[in-house]
Amino acid sequence: MAATLKEVAKHAGVSTSAVSRTFTPGASISDKMRRRVEKAARELGYSPNLLARSLTTRRTKLIGLVSNNFHNPIFLQVFELFTRGLQARGLRPLLVNLSDETNPAGSIRMLRQYSVDGVIVASSTLLPGFAKAFRDAGVPVVHSFGRYSSSPEIHVVGIDNVECGRMAARELVKRGYKKVGFLGGPDTATSTQDRFTGFKEEISLHPQINFKYSFAEAYSFDAGRDEMKCLLKKSPQEAYFCGDDILSIGALTALKLAGLSAPEDIGIIGLNDMEMARWENIDLTTIRQPINEIINSSIELITAMLDDPERYPESRLFPCRVIERGTLRPLV
């Protein structure tokens, strides 16, 4: 049987309230008393019952971590950073896999059953209304990798996807490509829409450049490979901006299967700078999204909202930059 709080108090010769204060962050207790209680706890093998404490404090310290893009390897990196960051602050992530779910009602019901203190929606493809539904249900929420708004209704942390589209277009123009393409993710995703808008706007400033576009079924390796296979059967462009790195890696695989290579035959630029992008056998030129900064900022906001649920919503944007590797021709 695990040692109880009363047993620790008796062993240390202190009151039960002293033991409780010792294991309550921010509670007032002298250093001498804390050391005394911690010594007794170690000797008895005592650990505080977090579930019992939540009944007293009405705080579970559970944070719902909601996403819908588990087939994209970059989310392994995202979830690792989120879970480590939340745990470092004494919070506990509760992972929710939406799969193809777009109605937030089921997630809200489930997370309420677990009495989460807050929710982080970690997705660039869900509509803004999805995260807003949590706020409307009275649950503090942050939309990480969400769509920027100058007058947000909820906290949003991410990048300017329209500007990223422009960056990709400028990069292809600088390198002398005359026939360029946009190979995006699902056209229903807000990130796809914004990246396409920025890319198209920038390319339109150069009427001499031939422009085509297409959309894959998902942000996945298979979708990127299959879409590029289809494009190669037609009249392919000289270079493509792919909606993210995993689409780019799929597209590079399609080139290899067709006996082609990048950048010799077709240039490719991605977005995210996921870990795989720098592998020697991939060596993808891409636009780096500052994932660490976005995640840290999201955790900072949800932590602040636990003390101030009415905190005025804000949008936090982080700048991106091109990471040059080996899938685009050199600058001319």
Side-chain angles (χ1 to χ4, degrees):
M1 295 290 290
T4 66
L5 183 144
K6 288 183 179 180
E7 290 170 338
V8 173
K10 182 178 179 180
H11 190 69
V14 300
S15 65
T16 55
S17 64
V19 178
S20 179
R21 291 198 306 278
T22 298
F23 294 103
T24 301
S28 176
I29 188 169
S30 69
D31 290 341
K32 182 179 179 181
M33 181 70 77
R34 183 184 300 279
R35 288 193 296 271
R36 187 172 177 179
V37 171
E38 288 176 344
K39 180 175 181 293
R42 285 195 301 272
E43 290 174 351
L44 295 178
Y46 170 79
S47 295
N49 189 323
L50 298 178
L51 291 178
R53 180 186 296 168
S54 70
L55 296 175
T56 302
T57 62
R58 296 188 178 182
R59 287 277 185 89
T60 62
K61 295 194 179 258
L62 283 172
I63 301 297
L65 185 55
V66 180
S67 189
N68 65 333
N69 205 9
F70 281 70
H71 53 265
N72 192 328
I74 194 170
F75 275 85
L76 295 175
Q77 179 182 345
V78 167
F79 293 143
E80 180 190 10
L81 292 170
F82 262 125
T83 53
R84 288 171 58 188
L86 289 167
Q87 289 166 182
R89 290 164 175 81
L91 302 170
R92 299 189 295 281
L94 178 63
L95 200 58
V96 179
N97 184 351
L98 293 175
S99 298
D100 297 324
E101 181 64 55
T102 56
N103 185 344
S107 297
I108 292 172
R109 283 194 301 271
M110 186 192 77
L111 291 171
R112 273 184 159 171
Q113 289 174 348
Y114 285 96
S115 300
V116 297
D117 289 339
V119 170
I120 296 174
V121 176
S123 173
S124 65
T125 59
L126 288 170
L127 295 172
F130 190 96
K132 181 176 175 291
F134 288 95
R135 188 212 65 176
D136 294 343
V139 181
V141 62
V142 174
H143 192 173
S144 189
F145 305 100
R147 192 179 209 175
Y148 170 76
S149 170
S150 57
S151 54
E153 296 181 281
I154 58 170
H155 293 286
V156 178
V157 185
I159 61 174
D160 185 341
N161 280 298
V162 175
E163 178 57 26
C164 284
R166 295 191 186 106
M167 289 175 65
R170 287 194 291 267
E171 206 63 31
L172 297 186
V173 171
K174 282 193 300 184
R175 292 165 193 268
Y177 291 108
K178 301 301 182 184
K179 297 169 61 180
V180 304
F182 175 84
L183 195 170
D187 58 6
T188 55
T190 58
S191 53
T192 302
Q193 295 165 6
D194 291 346
R195 292 165 192 175
F196 175 66
T197 295
F199 190 83
K200 184 178 180 181
E201 286 178 353
E202 186 67 30
I203 289 297
S204 69
L205 301 177
H206 306 273
Q208 77 280 10
I209 294 180
N210 178 269
F211 170 55
K212 294 181 181 179
Y213 61 90
S214 63
F215 302 99
E217 292 184 354
Y219 280 113
S220 71
F221 171 86
D222 289 344
R225 180 199 58 207
D226 293 346
E227 187 61 29
M228 180 55 76
K229 280 183 177 180
C230 292
L231 293 171
L232 292 176
K233 291 177 182 178
K234 303 173 186 177
S235 177
Q237 303 295 81
E238 296 175 336
Y240 288 88
F241 168 43
C242 296
D244 78 344
D245 287 351
I246 198 64
L247 284 176
S248 302
I249 295 170
L252 289 169
T253 300
L255 294 183
K256 183 177 180 180
L257 292 172
L260 304 173
S261 63
E264 291 77 13
D265 299 296
I266 294 176
I268 299 288
I269 182 171
L271 191 152
N272 274 332
D273 195 28
M274 63 192 296
E275 183 180 354
M276 291 168 60
R278 63 178 174 80
W279 292 359
E280 286 85 351
N281 62 325
I282 295 175
D283 199 31
L284 177 67
T285 299
T286 188
I287 297 171
R288 174 174 291 168
Q289 178 171 204
I291 293 172
N292 287 35
E293 290 88 339
I294 291 170
I295 290 172
N296 288 336
S297 184
S298 300
I299 294 174
E300 176 192 324
L301 279 172
I302 199 66
T303 302
M305 290 186 74
L306 299 185
D307 296 322
D308 182 14
E310 301 302 319
R311 181 186 174 104
Y312 194 77
E314 60 179 293
S315 283
R316 294 185 179 182
L317 283 183
F318 289 85
C320 298
R321 63 188 180 94
V322 173
I323 303 298
E324 183 168 359
R325 294 195 180 97
T327 56
L328 287 183
R329 65 170 64 145
L331 286 167
V332 295

